[in-house]
């Protein structure tokens, strides 16, 4: 299984968010080549701005594993994590994070700058299917503006 | 009602966490002079490292209000918020945040440095009952080390 394959799974989650009128971000948590948890943005549905795709996927993964750390796991998320999700990923001690599109406005790097905010052992990769991930976001905000 | 009064309410939450073997951090959300939501750290009980006092109090407040923003609200929390909780507070657009004790290790400022990570309109105050808030943390970690 490739990074592209798992990012496609995250994109499916993002598409579900899109269909439900949510900012289209999706995430999956993978261990041993299998998706163990999924999440998509539900901030409107739950009226809770903390209900981001990553938070939902992480909490689902902790629940599935019965433990509060995610060694040997990778989170795939379609858009660069925000500050909150970055902090949550820090606490999870996750092995690897892969995001698709960068997010200049709400991505964590606008605040964290040169500091590495994740767990020291966490590996970061980005840019996987970034055009598809970004296109979904652009289309969402284009439609919202034209309403 | 004074800041000290509401920080005492947050301290009661932290004491509950202490009694349950959780890192003793507590929080309350106040609107119009009334506590509308409470939370204490439940990371061990829920086996979820995102179950911080602030996250629980915030989600409870969104649920109570039926909305995803907290204008005209103040969060009192016994210890400086971590990066995750800071990001969550950013999204909430909360009016004011008051914390007791600083947290050099896990507080958000270790990463955010000179960047202001909260919503631009959010006012920050700190140091209210800081000795009591810090003493509870110190006692918790002293006991844990001696086990």
């Amino acid at each position: 299984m490739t990074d592209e394959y798992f990012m496609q799974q995250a994109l499916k989650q993002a598409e579900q968010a899109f269909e439900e009128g949510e900012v289209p971000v999706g995430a999956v948590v993978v261990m041993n080549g299998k998706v163990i948890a999924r999440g998509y943005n539900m901030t409107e549905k739950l009226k809770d701005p903390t209900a981001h795709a990553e938070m939902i996927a992480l909490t689902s993964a902790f629940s599935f594993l019965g433990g509060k750390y995610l060694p040997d796991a990778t989170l795939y998320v379609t858009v660069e994590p925000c500050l909150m999700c970055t902090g949550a990923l820090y606490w999870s001690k996750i092995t690897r994070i892969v995001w698709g599109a960068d997010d200049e406005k709400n991505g964590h790097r606008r605040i964290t700058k040169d500091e590495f905010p994740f767990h020291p052992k966490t590996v970061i990769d980005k840019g996987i299917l970034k055009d598809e991930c970004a296109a979904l976001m652009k289309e969402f905000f284009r439609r919202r503006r034209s309403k």
Side-chain angles (χ1 to χ4, degrees), chain A residues 5-18:
Chain A
Y5 172 82
F6 290 117
M7 190 60 82
Q8 278 290 357
Q9 305 301 308
L11 258 172
K12 277 188 195 171
Q13 294 294 308
E15 286 161 3
Q16 185 63 37
F18 187 97

Side-chain angles (χ1 to χ4, degrees), chain A residues 62-100:
Chain A
F62 301 132
S63 177
F64 176 79
L65 295 171
K68 67 188 185 104
Y69 299 117
L70 298 173
D72 310 316
T74 299
L75 177 103
Y76 293 84
V77 58
T78 57
V79 179
E80 177 187 343
C82 76
L83 201 67
M84 170 182 71
C85 293
T86 295
L89 287 159
Y90 164 81
W91 289 115
S92 78
K93 302 188 181 177
I94 197 163
T95 306
R96 184 167 174 248
I97 299 165
V98 182
W99 77 74

Side-chain angles (χ1 to χ4, degrees), chain A residues 14-38:
Chain A
E15 286 161 3
Q16 185 63 37
F18 187 97
E19 282 177 26
E20 297 183 15
E22 303 275 359
V23 174
V25 183
V28 296
V29 177
V30 174
M31 278 181 80
N32 302 318
K34 282 187 184 162
V35 173
I36 64 159
R38 296 172 174 78

Side-chain angles (χ1 to χ4, degrees), chain A residues 7 9-27 39-44 51-54 76-80 100-103 129-144:
Chain A
M7 190 60 82
Q9 305 301 308
L11 258 172
K12 277 188 195 171
Q13 294 294 308
E15 286 161 3
Q16 185 63 37
F18 187 97
E19 282 177 26
E20 297 183 15
E22 303 275 359
V23 174
V25 183
Y40 60 87
N41 181 33
M42 288 189 177
T43 53
E44 297 302 326
H52 285 193
E54 301 95 315
Y76 293 84
V77 58
T78 57
V79 179
E80 177 187 343
D102 288 344
D103 184 345
L129 302 187
K130 69 177 179 196
D131 294 341
E132 292 88 332
C133 294
L136 200 59
M137 291 286 272
K138 271 180 203 151
E139 177 61 13
F140 178 83
F141 288 108
R142 188 190 67 73
R143 287 193 196 186
R144 195 155 83 170

